[in-house]
Amino acid sequence: MRVLGIETSCDETGLAIYDSEQGLLGHVLHSQIDLHAVYGGVVPELASRDHVRKTLPLLHNLLAQTGLAKSDIDGVAYTAGPGLVGALLVGTAIGRTLAWAWGVPAVGVHHMEGHLLAPMLEPERPEFPFVALLVSGGHTQLVEVKGIGQYRLLGESLDDAAGEAFDKTAKMMGLPYPGGPELAALALSGDPKRFRFPRPMTDRPGLDFSFSGLKTFALNTLQREITPQDSEATKQQTRADIARAFEEAVVDTLVIKCRRAVRDSGAATLVLAGGVSANRQLRERMQVAMGKEGARVFYPRTEFCTDNGAMIAYAGWQRLRQGAHEDLGFGVRARWPMDSLAGY
């Protein structure tokens, strides 16, 4: 079975074709970073319009890349939520229309389920059951995974997601958009001993997160430590030191909670997924921590950490092979709890 996956939940237009026997046949991606950079963040209306412009040309490129014809596609999967409603509607309308025109089944996919299953695209795959840390600009969740659609939410951020906190803190520091990767790059030259930020909610039981306070702590530190009398070199070094302290606080918090989740659930496997899972410090620290817990860590290759069509094609194949499909009507969900997917 060959499944076309379409991802348009936010500011990336991604398409891919997954073959149940040969694996991933090809994928294409268009990023809107340059479009939104001037505004310092994603503008929903502009994102939707760009998806309209780019989705079908990308489909033609993908078919040419793979050497496939439209008649070779056996199913269509598209992101139906969560995400920006306008952006979701573009991919959903195109995906459902293509499926109707081609006479093949269509299925709406949960965006975070796509991220959760992205490590399955790698040659060495995790086996069920496992604990997953879904960490991105919009979500920070710990999920117990027993199988496809068998998800139990263990904990989540009560305010900002980790990636959102990265981006907002980077913006406060005057770093270019998108800020998260820029902050992580700046942190590499920071002194790890100069500042220590709090590790929020790690001194109490439970698996929930909170990252909004770290932004305030970073802002207060910036205002206290950088003065007009400082040279530009001194200011830049202070920013790097603050970036390092911020990154280490977020990473430590995620690692502490993951160790607790693995220990409490008895899982032998942890999956990292979502845009922040590409963070080098997080991967290195998590490998060490899970080694101490006797657990293995799996994550997708870097290009599949951020939004992409490959994860939607794979998740769609899993759903279609279970018999899931949509009728001619369709809808999207800006919010869509993971643990509601069992009967989907």
Short mmCIF file of all heavy atoms in Angstrom, two decimals, residues 7 9-12 14 24 27 29 110-122 133-139 163 181 271-284 287 297-312:
data_model
loop_
_atom_site.label_atom_id
_atom_site.label_comp_id
_atom_site.label_asym_id
_atom_site.label_seq_id
_atom_site.Cartn_x
_atom_site.Cartn_y
_atom_site.Cartn_z
N GLU A 7 1.16 17.41 5.16
CA GLU A 7 1.28 18.11 6.45
C GLU A 7 1.22 19.62 6.22
O GLU A 7 2.06 20.19 5.50
CB GLU A 7 2.60 17.74 7.12
CG GLU A 7 3.14 18.72 8.14
CD GLU A 7 2.21 18.98 9.32
OE1 GLU A 7 1.40 18.09 9.65
OE2 GLU A 7 2.30 20.06 9.92
N SER A 9 -0.03 21.80 9.13
CA SER A 9 -0.61 22.24 10.40
C SER A 9 -0.16 23.62 10.84
O SER A 9 -0.85 24.28 11.60
CB SER A 9 -0.30 21.23 11.51
OG SER A 9 1.09 21.22 11.79
N CYS A 10 0.99 24.08 10.35
CA CYS A 10 1.50 25.38 10.79
C CYS A 10 2.22 26.09 9.65
O CYS A 10 1.57 26.57 8.73
CB CYS A 10 2.42 25.19 12.00
SG CYS A 10 2.87 26.75 12.82
N ASP A 11 3.54 26.13 9.68
CA ASP A 11 4.27 26.94 8.69
C ASP A 11 5.21 26.12 7.81
O ASP A 11 6.13 26.67 7.21
CB ASP A 11 5.05 28.06 9.37
CG ASP A 11 6.08 27.54 10.35
OD1 ASP A 11 5.94 26.39 10.83
OD2 ASP A 11 7.05 28.26 10.65
N GLU A 12 4.98 24.82 7.74
CA GLU A 12 5.73 23.99 6.79
C GLU A 12 4.74 23.21 5.94
O GLU A 12 3.77 22.65 6.47
CB GLU A 12 6.66 23.00 7.50
CG GLU A 12 8.07 23.52 7.70
CD GLU A 12 8.38 23.82 9.15
OE1 GLU A 12 7.59 23.42 10.03
OE2 GLU A 12 9.40 24.47 9.40
N GLY A 14 4.58 19.97 3.90
CA GLY A 14 5.35 18.74 3.69
C GLY A 14 4.50 17.66 3.05
O GLY A 14 3.35 17.44 3.43
N LEU A 24 9.78 4.52 3.08
CA LEU A 24 9.61 5.87 2.56
C LEU A 24 10.20 5.97 1.16
O LEU A 24 11.39 5.73 0.95
CB LEU A 24 10.30 6.87 3.50
CG LEU A 24 10.12 8.34 3.16
CD1 LEU A 24 8.66 8.77 3.30
CD2 LEU A 24 11.01 9.20 4.05
N HIS A 27 10.13 12.38 -0.10
CA HIS A 27 9.44 13.44 0.63
C HIS A 27 9.96 14.80 0.17
O HIS A 27 11.11 14.93 -0.26
CB HIS A 27 9.63 13.28 2.14
CG HIS A 27 11.04 13.49 2.61
ND1 HIS A 27 11.47 14.68 3.15
CD2 HIS A 27 12.12 12.67 2.62
CE1 HIS A 27 12.75 14.58 3.47
NE2 HIS A 27 13.16 13.38 3.17
N LEU A 29 9.59 19.23 1.13
CA LEU A 29 9.22 20.15 2.20
C LEU A 29 9.48 21.58 1.77
O LEU A 29 10.53 21.89 1.21
CB LEU A 29 10.03 19.84 3.46
CG LEU A 29 9.71 20.70 4.70
CD1 LEU A 29 8.36 20.31 5.28
CD2 LEU A 29 10.81 20.54 5.75
N HIS A 110 -3.73 12.74 13.36
CA HIS A 110 -3.38 13.62 14.49
C HIS A 110 -1.91 14.01 14.34
O HIS A 110 -1.02 13.16 14.22
CB HIS A 110 -3.60 12.87 15.81
CG HIS A 110 -3.53 13.73 17.02
ND1 HIS A 110 -2.36 14.31 17.47
CD2 HIS A 110 -4.48 14.12 17.91
CE1 HIS A 110 -2.59 15.01 18.57
NE2 HIS A 110 -3.88 14.91 18.86
N HIS A 111 -1.65 15.31 14.35
CA HIS A 111 -0.29 15.82 14.13
C HIS A 111 0.72 15.23 15.11
O HIS A 111 1.82 14.82 14.72
CB HIS A 111 -0.30 17.34 14.25
CG HIS A 111 1.03 17.99 14.08
ND1 HIS A 111 1.65 18.11 12.85
CD2 HIS A 111 1.87 18.57 14.97
CE1 HIS A 111 2.81 18.73 13.00
NE2 HIS A 111 2.97 19.02 14.28
N MET A 112 0.35 15.15 16.38
CA MET A 112 1.28 14.66 17.38
C MET A 112 1.45 13.14 17.30
O MET A 112 2.50 12.61 17.68
CB MET A 112 0.84 15.08 18.79
CG MET A 112 0.85 16.58 19.00
SD MET A 112 2.39 17.39 18.47
CE MET A 112 3.56 16.71 19.65
N GLU A 113 0.44 12.43 16.80
CA GLU A 113 0.63 11.00 16.56
C GLU A 113 1.67 10.81 15.45
O GLU A 113 2.46 9.87 15.48
CB GLU A 113 -0.68 10.32 16.17
CG GLU A 113 -0.53 8.82 15.98
CD GLU A 113 -1.83 8.11 15.71
OE1 GLU A 113 -2.59 8.58 14.83
OE2 GLU A 113 -2.11 7.08 16.35
N GLY A 114 1.65 11.71 14.47
CA GLY A 114 2.67 11.66 13.44
C GLY A 114 4.05 11.81 14.03
O GLY A 114 4.97 11.03 13.72
N HIS A 115 4.24 12.82 14.91
CA HIS A 115 5.53 12.99 15.57
C HIS A 115 5.90 11.76 16.39
O HIS A 115 7.05 11.29 16.37
CB HIS A 115 5.49 14.22 16.49
CG HIS A 115 5.75 15.51 15.78
ND1 HIS A 115 6.90 15.76 15.06
CD2 HIS A 115 5.00 16.65 15.70
CE1 HIS A 115 6.86 16.98 14.55
NE2 HIS A 115 5.71 17.54 14.93
N LEU A 116 4.93 11.24 17.13
CA LEU A 116 5.19 10.10 18.01
C LEU A 116 5.69 8.88 17.22
O LEU A 116 6.56 8.14 17.69
CB LEU A 116 3.90 9.76 18.77
CG LEU A 116 3.97 8.69 19.85
CD1 LEU A 116 2.93 8.99 20.93
CD2 LEU A 116 3.67 7.30 19.28
N LEU A 117 5.15 8.70 16.01
CA LEU A 117 5.51 7.53 15.20
C LEU A 117 6.68 7.79 14.26
O LEU A 117 7.14 6.86 13.59
CB LEU A 117 4.29 7.06 14.39
CG LEU A 117 3.08 6.60 15.22
CD1 LEU A 117 1.93 6.23 14.30
CD2 LEU A 117 3.45 5.41 16.09
N ALA A 118 7.19 9.03 14.21
CA ALA A 118 8.28 9.36 13.28
C ALA A 118 9.52 8.47 13.45
O ALA A 118 10.17 8.14 12.47
CB ALA A 118 8.66 10.83 13.41
N PRO A 119 9.89 8.07 14.69
CA PRO A 119 11.05 7.17 14.82
C PRO A 119 10.86 5.83 14.13
O PRO A 119 11.84 5.11 13.86
CB PRO A 119 11.18 6.99 16.34
CG PRO A 119 10.59 8.23 16.92
CD PRO A 119 9.43 8.54 16.02
N MET A 120 9.61 5.46 13.80
CA MET A 120 9.35 4.21 13.10
C MET A 120 9.85 4.26 11.65
O MET A 120 9.92 3.22 10.99
CB MET A 120 7.85 3.91 13.10
CG MET A 120 7.23 3.81 14.48
SD MET A 120 7.79 2.38 15.40
CE MET A 120 6.71 2.45 16.83
N LEU A 121 10.19 5.45 11.18
CA LEU A 121 10.72 5.58 9.82
C LEU A 121 12.20 5.18 9.74
O LEU A 121 12.74 5.04 8.64
CB LEU A 121 10.57 7.03 9.34
CG LEU A 121 9.13 7.52 9.13
CD1 LEU A 121 9.10 9.04 9.02
CD2 LEU A 121 8.54 6.88 7.87
N GLU A 122 12.84 5.01 10.89
CA GLU A 122 14.26 4.67 10.92
C GLU A 122 14.45 3.15 10.83
O GLU A 122 13.55 2.38 11.17
CB GLU A 122 14.89 5.19 12.21
CG GLU A 122 14.70 6.68 12.44
CD GLU A 122 15.22 7.51 11.28
OE1 GLU A 122 16.28 7.16 10.72
OE2 GLU A 122 14.56 8.49 10.91
N LEU A 133 8.26 11.29 24.87
CA LEU A 133 8.30 12.72 25.19
C LEU A 133 8.08 13.46 23.88
O LEU A 133 8.92 13.43 22.98
CB LEU A 133 9.65 13.12 25.80
CG LEU A 133 9.84 14.63 26.00
CD1 LEU A 133 8.86 15.17 27.02
CD2 LEU A 133 11.28 14.95 26.40
N LEU A 134 6.92 14.10 23.76
CA LEU A 134 6.60 14.90 22.59
C LEU A 134 6.87 16.35 22.94
O LEU A 134 6.16 16.95 23.76
CB LEU A 134 5.13 14.71 22.21
CG LEU A 134 4.70 13.26 21.95
CD1 LEU A 134 3.21 13.18 21.65
CD2 LEU A 134 5.51 12.66 20.82
N VAL A 135 7.91 16.90 22.33
CA VAL A 135 8.39 18.22 22.76
C VAL A 135 8.63 19.09 21.53
O VAL A 135 9.48 18.79 20.69
CB VAL A 135 9.64 18.07 23.65
CG1 VAL A 135 10.75 17.30 22.96
CG2 VAL A 135 10.13 19.40 24.17
N SER A 136 7.82 20.16 21.43
CA SER A 136 7.87 21.02 20.25
C SER A 136 7.49 22.44 20.63
O SER A 136 7.39 22.77 21.81
CB SER A 136 6.91 20.48 19.18
OG SER A 136 5.56 20.57 19.64
N GLY A 137 7.25 23.26 19.61
CA GLY A 137 6.85 24.63 19.88
C GLY A 137 5.45 24.75 20.45
O GLY A 137 5.13 25.72 21.13
N GLY A 138 4.60 23.77 20.16
CA GLY A 138 3.23 23.83 20.62
C GLY A 138 2.86 22.84 21.70
O GLY A 138 1.81 22.96 22.33
N HIS A 139 3.71 21.83 21.92
CA HIS A 139 3.37 20.77 22.86
C HIS A 139 4.59 20.32 23.66
O HIS A 139 5.70 20.26 23.14
CB HIS A 139 2.81 19.54 22.12
CG HIS A 139 1.55 19.82 21.36
ND1 HIS A 139 1.57 20.39 20.10
CD2 HIS A 139 0.25 19.63 21.67
CE1 HIS A 139 0.31 20.52 19.67
NE2 HIS A 139 -0.50 20.06 20.60
N GLY A 163 9.43 24.30 23.43
CA GLY A 163 9.87 24.99 22.23
C GLY A 163 9.40 26.43 22.18
O GLY A 163 10.11 27.33 21.71
N PRO A 181 16.50 27.34 17.64
CA PRO A 181 17.82 26.88 17.18
C PRO A 181 18.91 27.93 17.35
O PRO A 181 20.06 27.59 17.62
CB PRO A 181 17.58 26.57 15.69
CG PRO A 181 16.11 26.31 15.59
CD PRO A 181 15.47 27.22 16.59
N VAL A 271 10.92 7.30 23.70
CA VAL A 271 10.94 7.91 22.37
C VAL A 271 10.93 9.42 22.53
O VAL A 271 10.11 9.97 23.27
CB VAL A 271 9.72 7.44 21.54
CG1 VAL A 271 9.50 8.37 20.35
CG2 VAL A 271 9.92 6.01 21.08
N LEU A 272 11.85 10.10 21.85
CA LEU A 272 11.87 11.57 21.78
C LEU A 272 11.37 11.98 20.41
O LEU A 272 11.84 11.45 19.39
CB LEU A 272 13.29 12.11 21.95
CG LEU A 272 13.98 11.99 23.30
CD1 LEU A 272 15.37 12.61 23.22
CD2 LEU A 272 13.17 12.67 24.38
N ALA A 273 10.42 12.90 20.37
CA ALA A 273 9.89 13.34 19.08
C ALA A 273 9.44 14.79 19.17
O ALA A 273 9.19 15.31 20.26
CB ALA A 273 8.74 12.44 18.64
N GLY A 274 9.33 15.44 18.02
CA GLY A 274 8.99 16.86 17.97
C GLY A 274 10.21 17.70 17.70
O GLY A 274 11.35 17.23 17.80
N GLY A 275 9.99 18.95 17.35
CA GLY A 275 11.09 19.82 16.93
C GLY A 275 12.21 19.96 17.92
O GLY A 275 13.39 19.97 17.55
N VAL A 276 11.90 20.05 19.23
CA VAL A 276 12.94 20.23 20.24
C VAL A 276 13.77 18.96 20.42
O VAL A 276 14.88 19.01 20.95
CB VAL A 276 12.32 20.68 21.58
CG1 VAL A 276 13.37 20.91 22.65
CG2 VAL A 276 11.52 21.98 21.37
N SER A 277 13.27 17.82 19.95
CA SER A 277 14.04 16.57 20.08
C SER A 277 15.30 16.59 19.24
O SER A 277 16.16 15.72 19.39
CB SER A 277 13.17 15.35 19.71
OG SER A 277 12.87 15.33 18.33
N ALA A 278 15.42 17.59 18.35
CA ALA A 278 16.65 17.73 17.56
C ALA A 278 17.75 18.42 18.35
O ALA A 278 18.92 18.43 17.92
CB ALA A 278 16.37 18.53 16.29
N ASN A 279 17.42 18.98 19.53
CA ASN A 279 18.40 19.68 20.34
C ASN A 279 19.53 18.74 20.77
O ASN A 279 19.28 17.69 21.37
CB ASN A 279 17.72 20.28 21.57
CG ASN A 279 18.66 21.07 22.45
OD1 ASN A 279 19.37 20.51 23.28
ND2 ASN A 279 18.67 22.38 22.30
N ARG A 280 20.75 19.11 20.47
CA ARG A 280 21.89 18.21 20.73
C ARG A 280 22.09 17.93 22.21
O ARG A 280 22.35 16.79 22.62
CB ARG A 280 23.18 18.82 20.15
CG ARG A 280 24.35 17.85 20.12
CD ARG A 280 25.56 18.48 19.50
NE ARG A 280 26.20 19.45 20.40
CZ ARG A 280 27.30 20.14 20.09
NH1 ARG A 280 27.85 19.99 18.90
NH2 ARG A 280 27.82 20.99 20.95
N GLN A 281 21.97 18.99 23.03
CA GLN A 281 22.16 18.80 24.47
C GLN A 281 21.10 17.85 25.04
O GLN A 281 21.41 17.02 25.90
CB GLN A 281 22.09 20.16 25.19
CG GLN A 281 23.21 21.11 24.84
CD GLN A 281 24.57 20.58 25.28
OE1 GLN A 281 24.69 19.89 26.30
NE2 GLN A 281 25.60 20.88 24.51
N LEU A 282 19.88 17.99 24.57
CA LEU A 282 18.80 17.12 25.06
C LEU A 282 19.08 15.67 24.69
O LEU A 282 18.92 14.77 25.53
CB LEU A 282 17.46 17.58 24.48
CG LEU A 282 16.25 16.71 24.86
CD1 LEU A 282 16.02 16.70 26.36
CD2 LEU A 282 14.99 17.21 24.14
N ARG A 283 19.50 15.43 23.48
CA ARG A 283 19.78 14.05 23.06
C ARG A 283 20.92 13.44 23.88
O ARG A 283 20.82 12.29 24.33
CB ARG A 283 20.11 14.01 21.57
CG ARG A 283 18.94 14.31 20.67
CD ARG A 283 19.24 13.97 19.23
NE ARG A 283 18.09 14.21 18.37
CZ ARG A 283 17.93 13.70 17.16
NH1 ARG A 283 18.85 12.90 16.66
NH2 ARG A 283 16.84 13.95 16.44
N GLU A 284 21.98 14.20 24.04
CA GLU A 284 23.14 13.66 24.76
C GLU A 284 22.81 13.39 26.22
O GLU A 284 23.14 12.33 26.76
CB GLU A 284 24.31 14.64 24.64
CG GLU A 284 24.88 14.75 23.24
CD GLU A 284 25.99 15.78 23.13
OE1 GLU A 284 26.25 16.48 24.14
OE2 GLU A 284 26.59 15.90 22.04
N GLN A 287 20.40 10.37 26.59
CA GLN A 287 21.07 9.09 26.40
C GLN A 287 21.74 8.63 27.69
O GLN A 287 21.62 7.47 28.10
CB GLN A 287 22.11 9.20 25.27
CG GLN A 287 21.54 9.28 23.86
CD GLN A 287 21.10 7.93 23.31
OE1 GLN A 287 21.06 6.93 24.02
NE2 GLN A 287 20.78 7.89 22.03
N VAL A 297 16.87 4.88 24.15
CA VAL A 297 16.27 6.09 23.61
C VAL A 297 16.21 5.99 22.09
O VAL A 297 17.20 5.63 21.44
CB VAL A 297 17.06 7.35 24.01
CG1 VAL A 297 16.35 8.60 23.50
CG2 VAL A 297 17.23 7.42 25.51
N PHE A 298 15.06 6.34 21.52
CA PHE A 298 14.90 6.38 20.07
C PHE A 298 14.39 7.76 19.68
O PHE A 298 13.59 8.36 20.40
CB PHE A 298 13.89 5.32 19.60
CG PHE A 298 14.36 3.91 19.74
CD1 PHE A 298 14.21 3.24 20.95
CD2 PHE A 298 14.95 3.24 18.69
CE1 PHE A 298 14.63 1.93 21.09
CE2 PHE A 298 15.38 1.93 18.82
CZ PHE A 298 15.22 1.27 20.03
N TYR A 299 14.85 8.26 18.54
CA TYR A 299 14.35 9.52 18.02
C TYR A 299 14.51 9.52 16.51
O TYR A 299 15.33 8.77 15.95
CB TYR A 299 15.07 10.72 18.63
CG TYR A 299 16.55 10.55 18.85
CD1 TYR A 299 17.45 10.58 17.78
CD2 TYR A 299 17.05 10.33 20.13
CE1 TYR A 299 18.79 10.41 18.00
CE2 TYR A 299 18.40 10.16 20.35
CZ TYR A 299 19.27 10.21 19.28
OH TYR A 299 20.62 10.02 19.47
N PRO A 300 13.74 10.33 15.80
CA PRO A 300 13.86 10.38 14.34
C PRO A 300 15.11 11.14 13.91
O PRO A 300 15.71 11.88 14.71
CB PRO A 300 12.59 11.12 13.91
CG PRO A 300 12.22 11.94 15.10
CD PRO A 300 12.69 11.20 16.31
N ARG A 301 15.52 10.95 12.67
CA ARG A 301 16.61 11.76 12.13
C ARG A 301 16.17 13.23 12.18
O ARG A 301 14.98 13.55 12.22
CB ARG A 301 16.94 11.33 10.71
CG ARG A 301 15.89 11.69 9.68
CD ARG A 301 16.06 10.96 8.36
NE ARG A 301 15.57 9.59 8.43
CZ ARG A 301 15.32 8.82 7.37
NH1 ARG A 301 15.57 9.29 6.15
NH2 ARG A 301 14.87 7.61 7.52
N THR A 302 17.15 14.13 12.16
CA THR A 302 16.88 15.55 12.40
C THR A 302 15.82 16.11 11.45
O THR A 302 14.95 16.88 11.88
CB THR A 302 18.17 16.36 12.26
OG1 THR A 302 19.15 15.83 13.17
CG2 THR A 302 17.94 17.81 12.58
N GLU A 303 15.83 15.73 10.20
CA GLU A 303 14.89 16.30 9.24
C GLU A 303 13.45 15.88 9.50
O GLU A 303 12.51 16.52 9.02
CB GLU A 303 15.28 15.89 7.81
CG GLU A 303 15.23 14.40 7.55
CD GLU A 303 15.75 14.03 6.17
OE1 GLU A 303 15.41 14.75 5.20
OE2 GLU A 303 16.49 13.04 6.07
N PHE A 304 13.26 14.82 10.30
CA PHE A 304 11.91 14.38 10.64
C PHE A 304 11.51 14.75 12.07
O PHE A 304 10.49 14.28 12.56
CB PHE A 304 11.76 12.87 10.42
CG PHE A 304 11.87 12.46 8.98
CD1 PHE A 304 12.31 11.18 8.64
CD2 PHE A 304 11.54 13.33 7.97
CE1 PHE A 304 12.42 10.79 7.32
CE2 PHE A 304 11.65 12.96 6.64
CZ PHE A 304 12.08 11.68 6.31
N CYS A 305 12.34 15.57 12.75
CA CYS A 305 11.95 16.08 14.06
C CYS A 305 10.94 17.20 13.91
O CYS A 305 9.95 17.27 14.64
CB CYS A 305 13.18 16.57 14.83
SG CYS A 305 14.28 15.26 15.40
N THR A 306 11.19 18.10 12.97
CA THR A 306 10.25 19.18 12.71
C THR A 306 9.11 18.66 11.84
O THR A 306 9.12 17.51 11.40
CB THR A 306 10.96 20.35 12.03
OG1 THR A 306 11.67 19.86 10.88
CG2 THR A 306 11.95 21.02 12.97
N ASP A 307 8.11 19.49 11.58
CA ASP A 307 6.94 19.06 10.82
C ASP A 307 7.34 18.58 9.42
O ASP A 307 8.16 19.22 8.74
CB ASP A 307 5.94 20.21 10.70
CG ASP A 307 5.40 20.64 12.05
OD1 ASP A 307 5.64 19.94 13.04
OD2 ASP A 307 4.73 21.69 12.10
N ASN A 308 6.74 17.47 8.99
CA ASN A 308 7.09 16.89 7.69
C ASN A 308 5.97 15.97 7.22
O ASN A 308 5.14 15.51 8.01
CB ASN A 308 8.41 16.12 7.79
CG ASN A 308 8.32 14.95 8.75
OD1 ASN A 308 7.95 13.84 8.36
ND2 ASN A 308 8.64 15.16 10.03
N GLY A 309 5.98 15.69 5.93
CA GLY A 309 4.94 14.82 5.37
C GLY A 309 5.19 13.35 5.60
O GLY A 309 4.25 12.55 5.60
N ALA A 310 6.46 12.95 5.84
CA ALA A 310 6.78 11.54 6.01
C ALA A 310 6.07 10.95 7.22
O ALA A 310 5.53 9.84 7.17
CB ALA A 310 8.30 11.36 6.13
N MET A 311 6.07 11.69 8.32
CA MET A 311 5.44 11.16 9.53
C MET A 311 3.93 11.04 9.35
O MET A 311 3.30 10.12 9.90
CB MET A 311 5.76 12.05 10.73
CG MET A 311 5.15 13.44 10.69
SD MET A 311 5.68 14.45 12.11
CE MET A 311 4.51 15.82 11.99
N ILE A 312 3.33 11.92 8.56
CA ILE A 312 1.89 11.86 8.31
C ILE A 312 1.56 10.69 7.38
O ILE A 312 0.56 9.99 7.58
CB ILE A 312 1.38 13.19 7.71
CG1 ILE A 312 1.71 14.35 8.65
CG2 ILE A 312 -0.11 13.12 7.42
CD1 ILE A 312 1.17 14.19 10.07
#
